[in-house]
Amino acid sequence: MNNVQRKREKMKKVIIDSLKSYKWKILIQVTLITLNIYLLTIPAEIIGKIVDLLYDIPNNKQVIFNYTYYLLGICLFLLIVRVSWKYYETYISRGFEKDLKDKLFERFQKIKTAKLQKIKNGEIMSYFVKDTNEIRSALYRILSHGTRIIVTFVIVSITMIRGVNLKLTVATLFPIIITAYIIVKLKNYVEKSFKKSQEQFTLLSEYVQESTDSIRTTKAYSCEGEQLKDFIRKNRKLRSTNNEVDVYSNLLSTTLNICFGLCYGISLLYGSKLVLSNEITIGAFVAFNGYIALFEGPVSWIPPLIARWKRAQISYKRLDKVFELEREKISIKQRDNLELLNGKIEIKGLTFNYSDCLTPALSNISLKVEQGQTLGIIGTIGSGKTTLMNLITRLYNVERGRIFIDDKDINDIPLEIIRNSICYITQDNFLFSTSLKNNINLFRDEYEDEEIETSTKNALIYEEISNMPKGINTVIGERGTDLSGGQKQRVVLSRAFLKQSSIVILDDTFSALDNKTEEFLLQNIRKLTDEKTCIIISNRISDVKHSDNILVLDAGEIIEKGTYKELLEQKGKYYSFYKQQSTKKEKSFLD
């Protein structure tokens, strides 16, 4: 089996593994459905027998009552069977949906950053909401409706043939066969129209996501009108594609209505003839029409079942592409007992460019940081600072022989050990819409409250948290909208003081702080990283001036390196930064 085949089986394997865990419940559900269909044929048979007994009510009175009691008992038993079957049906479908979402989320956690960044937020939400629901719904209908369709055709057809008449059964069921052929022809149009609808839904979801994320910018520039017009245009396209789906769905429903009209017409004409010729009784004729009614539900489910199946196929292919994306070889389980790296970092002639860019983001980068040293990196926006850190943490693939940690090629070190050894405070200061405690410990329970409190004190955010309504358990808004920029940065910095790591990377984490707060924080960070390797990335001289070594990046290249004083003496790019950022008020702070 080649690699392509293995990739294509990943989504299939997820579904099969989930279904295997419910195999006994599925077997029970199918058994209950079969029993339910068999029980449904009994009332029509009983009513037919009662009709035949009505010719001599005085002599058949007790028999009629007995059949009536029997009919009531069957109805009560049917109720018990149906409730039991519905319970298993719901349990299986919702459990399957949960399993699928769990696996999908786990896969997104492992997808390589380079691949993940190409997927828009609206599309991701469509995967979790729309596509998983389509697959769950298809499974639900196949197990329920599909089984009922097959079992109904088998059991009811046999009952009609054995209990009434073979020729009448064949003649009456003939329109259903023709209808099934028409439905098969229409299914391609259903698939195409739904695919268009799915694409428009994704586009609209992405647009809504972007619009809500940029609502402040929209309001600041009074662009509400233009946004609304664009939304109406996209929504109109979605309505048009949904209307197309509805047209074909209604066409299928109309075809079914005509089908059963023909079935009942043939039954009445041919069945009446058989009654008049004494080939069947009136009771059998009444029962036969009752059997036809049992087909109406299952046959009417065929179009939506096909439509759901085609939708599920599209959703399956979309999710399958996600499962085919290259993933990191990393375990997302508990990693507390993993060993830590010492922290020696060496880079040799590293050049890197993103897959969709012709110009390298980094060119011929070489540097060395000994364990316990602090490296400062300064440069303008787009100079490659963050890209370099992403490569050290292996968020992107790195060419062999370029980056070494503890004299080992970074590609030979398990990702769990790399990520566990590095505390990377990124520049986006991302906060979850949960409690401050969970934002600081990142949902890990091994930290004591005293440790979290100490980390907030070191990050100079303790007093402000203490004044909040519920202290450390205060729930903040999405992305920390309830906090100021400086508060966000200090909450995020608390993670660095909490996590046990050998390498600390601070990527532009002081930009929203005033000079005094920054100075105190840097002092605490120097204490924190006294025996740790520390990399401080910034656009500000004051953040990196105390580093053991400082690099100046420009357009992806190292143009200067040395200590604070050495770089000032070179009168180069670093010195120009110094001159730009040196005001009368800040002169003493920088010096």
Side-chain angles (χ1 to χ4, degrees):
M1 185 183 296
N2 56 40
N3 291 332
V4 174
Q5 288 176 318
R6 287 195 186 98
K7 282 184 176 181
R8 288 178 179 171
E9 288 185 356
K10 285 180 180 176
M11 182 62 188
K12 180 180 178 182
K13 185 176 185 302
V14 169
I15 293 176
I16 291 175
D17 287 346
S18 179
L19 292 179
K20 280 183 178 178
S21 64
Y22 299 103
K23 59 183 179 182
W24 293 112
K25 291 181 175 61
I26 292 174
L27 179 61
I28 293 173
Q29 179 188 348
V30 172
T31 302
L32 290 172
I33 289 174
T34 304
L35 180 59
N36 177 78
I37 299 302
Y38 172 73
L39 292 174
L40 285 174
T41 62
I42 296 177
E45 181 184 357
I46 293 174
I47 291 173
K49 290 180 178 179
I50 291 175
V51 168
D52 286 336
L53 293 173
L54 293 177
Y55 286 104
D56 190 4
I57 294 178
N59 293 325
N60 298 325
K61 184 176 180 180
Q62 188 58 46
V63 179
I64 292 173
F65 276 123
N66 291 339
Y67 275 131
T68 303
Y69 298 143
Y70 182 39
L71 181 61
L72 292 174
I74 290 295
C75 292
L76 180 61
F77 190 37
L78 263 171
L79 176 63
I80 297 172
V81 171
R82 183 175 287 268
V83 169
S84 302
W85 143 44
K86 284 293 182 181
Y87 165 77
Y88 282 101
E89 181 179 80
T90 303
Y91 185 92
I92 293 168
S93 67
R94 292 302 178 185
F96 172 80
E97 182 182 22
K98 172 194 170 296
D99 294 343
L100 184 56
K101 287 181 177 179
D102 285 346
K103 289 294 184 182
L104 183 60
F105 187 80
E106 181 181 347
R107 181 51 60 103
F108 268 107
Q109 295 290 307
K110 293 183 177 181
I111 294 174
K112 289 197 171 182
T113 305
K115 304 294 183 183
L116 189 60
Q117 287 180 337
K118 295 181 180 180
I119 307 175
K120 295 183 178 180
N121 289 339
E123 190 174 358
I124 292 176
M125 293 308 300
S126 180
Y127 290 143
F128 278 95
V129 177
K130 189 83 171 176
D131 292 321
T132 55
N133 185 63
E134 289 295 347
I135 295 175
R136 179 202 66 81
S137 183
L139 172 72
Y140 167 85
R141 282 167 172 76
I142 288 172
L143 289 179
S144 178
H145 293 24
T147 303
R148 290 161 74 184
I149 290 170
I150 295 172
V151 173
T152 297
F153 269 87
V154 173
I155 292 180
V156 178
S157 297
I158 292 174
T159 303
M160 293 169 73
I161 292 171
R162 294 179 62 183
V164 185
N165 185 274
L166 173 61
K167 293 180 180 179
L168 180 60
T169 300
V170 173
T172 305
L173 297 183
F174 183 73
I176 295 178
I177 299 174
I178 300 298
T179 302
Y181 175 78
I182 296 173
I183 290 172
V184 170
K185 288 295 182 181
L186 287 173
K187 71 177 182 179
N188 293 328
Y189 296 99
V190 174
E191 179 182 1
K192 290 178 181 178
S193 60
F194 177 73
K195 188 173 182 180
K196 291 179 182 177
S197 174
Q198 186 82 344
E199 290 172 353
Q200 291 300 323
F201 176 81
T202 299
L203 290 174
L204 188 64
S205 298
E206 292 172 355
Y207 183 77
V208 171
Q209 179 72 37
E210 290 178 354
S211 298
T212 51
D213 287 345
S214 62
I215 190 67
R216 292 183 179 179
T217 303
T218 301
K219 290 182 178 293
Y221 289 90
S222 301
C223 299
E224 294 92 340
E226 288 73 12
Q227 291 272 5
L228 180 59
K229 289 178 183 178
D230 205 12
F231 176 83
I232 291 173
R233 184 167 56 254
K234 294 179 183 296
N235 201 23
R236 188 183 296 118
K237 290 182 180 179
L238 178 60
R239 181 191 65 180
S240 177
T241 55
N242 284 339
N243 285 342
E244 189 175 344
V245 174
D246 292 339
V247 166
Y248 288 117
S249 298
N250 290 331
L251 183 59
L252 289 172
S253 299
T254 302
T255 303
L256 284 172
N257 291 333
I258 294 173
C259 163
F260 277 97
L262 291 173
C263 287
Y264 281 113
I266 293 172
S267 173
L268 288 172
L269 293 174
Y270 191 31
S272 300
K273 180 181 177 182
L274 293 175
V275 171
L276 292 174
S277 61
N278 293 323
E279 293 185 45
I280 61 173
T281 65
I282 293 180
F285 178 64
V286 171
F288 187 84
N289 284 278
Y291 296 143
I292 293 176
L294 295 178
F295 282 107
E296 191 166 351
V299 175
S300 67
W301 298 329
I302 294 177
L305 184 61
I306 292 176
R308 283 290 179 184
W309 174 249
K310 304 310 289 186
R311 293 182 185 184
Q313 281 185 317
I314 296 170
S315 294
Y316 174 89
K317 290 175 183 178
R318 281 164 51 86
L319 293 182
D320 198 38
K321 289 180 180 179
V322 174
F323 278 84
E324 286 181 4
L325 293 176
E326 188 178 3
R327 62 174 181 165
E328 297 176 325
K329 296 179 180 179
I330 186 171
S331 172
I332 62 174
K333 296 180 180 179
Q334 195 72 14
R335 295 172 286 191
D336 301 328
N337 298 323
L338 291 175
E339 60 179 298
L340 293 179
L341 298 169
N342 294 324
K344 179 183 176 182
I345 300 173
E346 185 174 5
I347 300 177
K348 301 178 180 179
L350 173 65
T351 296
F352 175 81
N353 63 297
Y354 294 101
S355 59
D356 53 351
C357 296
L358 298 177
T359 305
L362 296 171
S363 299
N364 196 30
I365 300 295
S366 295
L367 60 90
K368 189 173 183 180
V369 189
E370 296 292 343
Q371 178 185 352
Q373 286 188 339
T374 297
L375 173 67
I377 302 178
I378 191 169
T380 57
I381 296 174
S383 59
K385 305 185 299 296
T386 300
T387 298
L388 182 58
M389 296 306 103
N390 288 338
L391 295 178
I392 291 176
T393 54
R394 259 182 71 187
L395 293 178
Y396 294 91
N397 289 333
V398 182
E399 183 184 353
R400 293 190 65 84
R402 298 302 179 187
I403 300 180
F404 299 86
I405 302 180
D406 294 348
D407 298 319
K408 297 178 182 178
D409 191 300
I410 195 172
N411 294 287
D412 296 329
I413 305 173
L415 268 176
E416 295 95 325
I417 294 179
I418 294 176
R419 304 281 170 80
N420 205 50
S421 300
I422 297 176
C423 177
Y424 184 15
I425 306 299
T426 60
Q427 59 184 321
D428 59 1
N429 298 318
F430 188 88
L431 294 173
F432 299 91
S433 55
T434 181
S435 69
L436 287 167
K437 180 179 179 179
N438 286 335
N439 270 291
I440 295 170
N441 65 21
L442 292 177
F443 307 96
R444 300 177 75 168
D445 299 328
E446 66 266 24
Y447 299 112
E448 300 293 335
D449 289 345
E450 291 76 13
E451 294 178 284
I452 297 174
E453 181 180 314
T454 301
S455 72
T456 59
K457 288 179 179 179
N458 287 326
L460 305 181
I461 192 66
Y462 174 74
E463 295 296 333
E464 291 166 73
I465 291 177
S466 299
N467 292 328
M468 293 181 182
K470 295 183 180 179
I472 199 69
N473 294 311
T474 300
V475 176
I476 59 176
E478 186 178 3
R479 291 180 176 267
T481 53
D482 301 334
L483 305 178
S484 67
Q487 288 174 327
K488 290 180 187 178
Q489 287 191 333
R490 282 176 285 157
V491 169
V492 171
L493 274 168
S494 299
R495 299 169 183 168
F497 291 101
L498 185 64
K499 183 178 179 181
Q500 299 299 316
S501 58
S502 54
I503 301 172
V504 177
I505 300 175
L506 305 175
D507 189 354
D508 196 21
T509 52
F510 311 105
S511 58
L513 303 178
D514 59 79
N515 291 339
K516 185 176 181 180
T517 303
E518 178 188 351
E519 184 177 7
F520 286 129
L521 258 177
L522 285 169
Q523 290 176 4
N524 290 343
I525 288 171
R526 284 195 289 273
K527 294 177 183 177
L528 167 70
T529 59
D530 186 43
E531 297 180 358
K532 298 181 180 182
T533 300
C534 181
I535 301 177
I536 300 177
I537 303 169
S538 181
N539 300 318
R540 295 160 60 170
I541 294 290
S542 57
D543 297 342
V544 300
K545 67 185 294 288
H546 294 291
S547 303
D548 297 301
N549 196 24
I550 301 172
L551 302 180
V552 181
L553 282 181
D554 186 49
E557 297 181 0
I558 299 177
I559 59 173
E560 296 174 17
K561 58 183 175 180
T563 63
Y564 174 69
K565 290 184 178 180
E566 289 172 348
L567 289 173
L568 289 180
E569 291 172 358
Q570 291 179 23
K571 302 292 184 180
K573 188 75 171 178
Y574 187 86
Y575 182 75
S576 67
F577 287 148
Y578 172 82
K579 297 293 288 183
Q580 292 169 7
Q581 297 175 23
S582 296
T583 65
K584 291 181 180 180
K585 293 181 180 180
E586 296 174 333
K587 185 76 174 177
S588 61
F589 177 55
L590 290 170
D591 291 334

